[in-house]
Amino acid sequence: QVQLVESGGGLVQAGGSLRLSCAASGSIVRILTMGWYRQAPGKGRELVATITSGGNTNYADSVKGRFTISRDNPKNTMYLQMNSLKPEDTAVYYCNTGGFVGYWGQGTQVTVSS
């Protein structure tokens, strides 16, 4: 069984930064690709970034150069450093492993004011 718990969301002004964390239970997570998704009001859930167990990363075009995904395998924790935040980044951010049919966290709200 895998459980994912996000933290670090909040309210920030445009141009500011936030760091999200995802704590995972279950040692199997160390060998799985993990990712961050987000869902804005009235929109579908979209991929933000993924990271493999070996550290290979992939980003949505909308966040490239501003967001950085990382993971600490011994701690079973994944991070998302978000810089130069924009109002359009406002969404609930979800931690995931296993893709859409995999495991999800409960989500953490990120609100960027203009």
Side-chain angles (χ1 to χ4, degrees):
Q1 186 72 13
V2 174
Q3 290 186 322
L4 305 172
V5 179
E6 303 97 335
S7 61
L11 173 64
V12 64
Q13 288 187 331
S17 298
L18 282 174
R19 188 193 194 205
L20 305 183
S21 298
C22 172
S25 66
S27 59
I28 192 173
V29 172
R30 298 180 183 183
I31 65 171
L32 298 177
T33 293
M34 298 186 71
W36 290 97
Y37 290 72
R38 67 186 181 187
Q39 187 165 14
K43 295 187 177 181
R45 195 168 295 190
E46 65 174 1
L47 175 69
V48 175
T50 61
I51 184 166
T52 67
S53 59
N56 293 318
T57 59
N58 179 57
Y59 295 93
D61 288 343
S62 59
V63 306
K64 281 181 181 177
R66 300 188 298 122
F67 291 10
T68 302
I69 189 172
S70 62
R71 64 192 292 171
D72 185 333
N73 286 336
K75 293 184 178 179
N76 270 8
T77 303
M78 178 178 65
Y79 305 97
L80 185 68
Q81 178 66 43
M82 305 185 294
N83 298 328
S84 302
L85 282 161
K86 303 175 181 180
E88 50 264 44
D89 294 318
T90 295
V92 178
Y93 284 70
Y94 296 92
C95 174
N96 167 271
T97 188
F100 270 85
V101 296
Y103 298 93
W104 295 91
Q106 82 286 354
T108 185
Q109 176 71 46
V110 172
T111 302
V112 185
S113 63
S114 58

